[in-house]
Amino acid sequence: MSAPLPAQPPASTPVPAAAPATTRSRRLALGVIATGLLMTVLDGSIVTVAMPAIQNDLGFSPAGLSWVVNAYLIAFGGLLLLAGRLGDLIGRRRMFLTGTAVFTAASVLAGAAGSPALLITARFLQGTGSAMASAVGLGILVTLFTESRERTRAIAVFSFTGAAGASIGQVLGGVLTDAVGWHWIFLINLPIGVATLLVAVRVLPADRGPGLRAGADVIGAVLVTSGVMLGIYSVVGAGTHGWLSAHTLGLGALALALLAGFFVRQATAGTPLLPLRVLRSRSVSGANLVQMLMVAALFSFQILVALYLQRVLGHGAAATGLAMLPAAVIGAVSLGVSARLSARFGDRNVLLLGLALLIALLGLLTRLPAHGHYATDLLPLMFLAAGFGLALPALTALGMSGAGEEDAGLVSGLFNTTQQIGMATGVAVLSTLAASRTGTLLSEGSSRAEALTGGYHLAFAVGGGLLTAAFVVALTVLGRTRPGTRTRTRSGRPEHEAVHRTEATDAGRSA
């Protein structure tokens, strides 16, 4: 909350971590981190398929059912930044292990839930555990793999796991719900979580942060956590209350005021939670903005295409998951290609190529017919999902390139936070626009299929606009990089060294 105690090492001199001794150990550590991500992504996608069964079994109201997702999103998105900073202070390994344990225990509680209140509570705890583990995952990864090409490959594996988890979740959710009941979509996390913990204890490097006394910034933590949580709450509630309602505008204004207070606090605090020097990195600030725009647009693809398959083409839950599988497989395969292309052409160029493919994808989705056929109208477009596999690893590498050793957990938490904010905002905005357009078309006499398809067309068009904005930001803000090198500042130093230099100056001023 104030300047660091003299006994603590200065911020520019991070406490070294004990890196794994062998390549095999590092690969096992990567596997553990990827498995933690798999549980998080799997949990997010598997729930959507089981929502009708959960509603019927526990007696959720239509409005209350949305909180099965919202409770998780609010906790996850609101706590990521704080969890990332705490990981830097108390040790990323400790934070990862604690978060995985919390998530696993909460999954068991969710699987045993017999009432709406208990399930929503469990989902909030799941989001809390996910935030703790996910916030430091990338931070551990970038400190394990320091060589540029090796790090690019590790990030590709990490991204591949996320893409695979999303596709597996949609299929597995339908199968488990139909075969053994919705409870098992949560209980399946128990064996995965226990196995992850057992291996993680042995292979993750033991790091030792400077401790909470070195700068937890409780005031900043309260401001940003409450601001982000309240902001996400206002966005996800806009579909029910309306964008111009007193509820949405009032809570949104309060959220903005809390976040403004947070940035004022960061500019004046002796040991800020989010040192503003981190945002002065073009790679960090630019990549986070690109990610927020990209995720907001792409979530419309994942959710609205699934709704088109079910509500317009009449597919069931399991059939919808299988129909979406080609996009996930193509995107996952392209992840491996992304690493090789980045090594040859640079992360920025690969990111621009991926965004261009995704813009084409959403542009063509605006032409989906109301009485279409999956094989001829939708399946061919799945090949453009390769853009996701190309863009994600390149964007992640760019976003983490400005992180120094002592800030890796913080930047990782920030990167994940913008992802969740983009996801929540994209779902709320695009779904609301689609529903509004559908209602207008129905009132004008269109058939249900035509009205639904028209609503999806509008959402896809807006998503395409968001992706175009992301392309412009990537082109103008993110600097050119030579293949196999990190982003450099105008002074010629690697950007992470410049961050360290600024941090040393800040520490000297505090002293």
Side-chain angles (χ1 to χ4, degrees):
M1 291 184 289
S2 57
L5 297 177
Q8 298 293 336
S12 57
T13 308
V15 179
T22 65
T23 300
R24 179 176 179 273
S25 296
R26 286 190 299 152
R27 287 176 178 172
L28 285 173
L30 174 60
V32 165
I33 296 170
T35 303
L37 173 67
L38 176 65
M39 285 197 299
T40 299
V41 175
L42 191 69
D43 190 75
S45 59
I46 203 172
V47 169
T48 57
V49 180
M51 296 282 271
I54 292 174
Q55 182 178 19
N56 293 334
D57 195 10
L58 297 185
F60 271 98
S61 66
L65 184 64
S66 65
W67 283 99
V68 176
V69 175
N70 294 344
Y72 182 90
L73 277 180
I74 289 173
F76 192 19
L79 295 173
L80 274 166
L81 189 59
L82 175 60
R85 187 55 178 169
L86 290 177
D88 289 333
L89 294 175
I90 68 174
R92 300 181 196 110
R93 177 179 181 269
R94 181 183 301 177
M95 181 63 70
F96 182 87
L97 293 173
T98 304
T100 303
V102 170
F103 177 83
T104 304
S107 296
V108 175
L109 182 63
S115 67
L118 184 57
L119 180 57
I120 291 173
T121 300
R123 290 289 287 162
F124 188 90
L125 292 175
Q126 276 189 308
T128 301
S130 290
M132 296 170 69
S134 299
V136 296
L138 277 175
I140 296 174
L141 188 150
V142 298
T143 56
L144 280 173
F145 299 91
T146 56
E147 193 271 326
S148 179
R149 182 170 303 212
E150 191 179 48
R151 177 182 290 186
T152 299
R153 290 173 179 168
I155 289 175
V157 172
F158 186 81
S159 302
F160 172 86
T161 305
S167 59
I168 292 170
Q170 289 180 320
V171 178
L172 188 60
V175 173
L176 286 176
T177 301
D178 290 341
V180 292
W182 65 265
H183 300 275
W184 283 94
I185 68 172
F186 300 115
L187 295 177
I188 195 175
N189 290 323
L190 177 59
I192 300 175
V194 170
T196 300
L197 287 170
L198 292 175
V199 178
V201 168
R202 301 187 60 180
V203 302
L204 289 186
D207 58 334
R208 182 171 56 87
L212 294 177
R213 294 167 62 193
D217 188 14
V218 175
I219 295 176
V222 171
L223 286 171
V224 70
T225 301
S226 57
V228 171
M229 282 188 171
L230 194 60
I232 296 175
Y233 174 77
S234 65
V235 169
V236 298
T240 301
H241 298 281
W243 286 102
L244 299 180
S245 67
H247 179 276
T248 301
L249 294 178
L251 292 180
L254 180 57
L256 290 175
L258 290 170
L259 292 175
F262 167 73
F263 282 106
V264 171
R265 168 70 182 176
Q266 300 318 287
T268 57
T271 55
L273 177 65
L274 176 61
L276 297 185
R277 57 181 164 71
V278 172
L279 297 180
R280 289 197 292 269
S281 162
R282 288 170 65 93
S283 63
V284 172
S285 57
N288 275 278
L289 179 56
V290 169
Q291 177 177 232
M292 189 180 299
L293 294 168
M294 186 176 77
V295 171
L298 291 181
F299 222 59
S300 69
F301 171 78
Q302 181 177 345
I303 291 182
L304 297 180
V305 169
L307 289 174
Y308 172 80
L309 287 166
Q310 293 185 63
R311 300 174 67 184
V312 177
L313 300 188
H315 289 204
T320 297
L322 291 172
M324 296 290 291
L325 195 57
V329 170
I330 293 167
V333 169
S334 63
L335 290 169
V337 178
S338 178
R340 291 192 290 271
L341 291 178
S342 290
R344 183 170 182 179
F345 300 107
D347 292 319
R348 176 176 174 266
N349 290 331
V350 175
L351 171 61
L352 292 173
L353 173 61
L355 288 172
L357 291 175
L358 293 173
I359 291 170
L361 171 62
L362 290 193
L364 291 172
L365 285 173
T366 62
R367 301 170 63 92
L368 280 177
H371 303 286
H373 300 280
Y374 172 75
T376 56
D377 296 310
L378 194 55
L379 181 58
L381 303 184
M382 297 293 183
F383 289 95
L384 293 174
F388 176 76
L390 294 176
L392 184 59
L395 181 61
T396 304
L398 287 166
M400 294 301 295
S401 65
E405 167 72 23
E406 71 285 359
D407 285 326
L410 172 62
V411 176
S412 173
L414 176 63
F415 201 68
N416 281 292
T417 298
T418 58
Q419 184 181 85
Q420 295 305 309
I421 293 174
M423 186 182 301
T425 305
V427 170
V429 172
L430 298 180
S431 297
T432 301
L433 288 174
S436 176
R437 178 60 176 163
T438 296
T440 300
L441 292 174
L442 285 173
S443 66
E444 293 175 353
S446 297
S447 68
R448 183 175 181 274
E450 291 172 341
L452 287 169
T453 305
Y456 301 148
H457 285 172
L458 175 60
F460 291 138
V462 174
L466 294 175
L467 285 173
T468 302
F471 186 94
V472 172
V473 172
L475 184 65
T476 57
V477 175
L478 296 179
R480 294 180 180 273
T481 57
R482 295 191 303 273
T485 63
R486 293 182 181 178
T487 304
R488 291 181 173 269
T489 63
R490 294 178 181 177
S491 65
R493 292 187 181 88
E495 195 166 38
H496 67 93
E497 289 182 11
V499 171
H500 290 183
R501 186 178 183 86
T502 305
E503 187 173 53
T505 303
D506 292 343
R509 290 172 180 168
S510 298

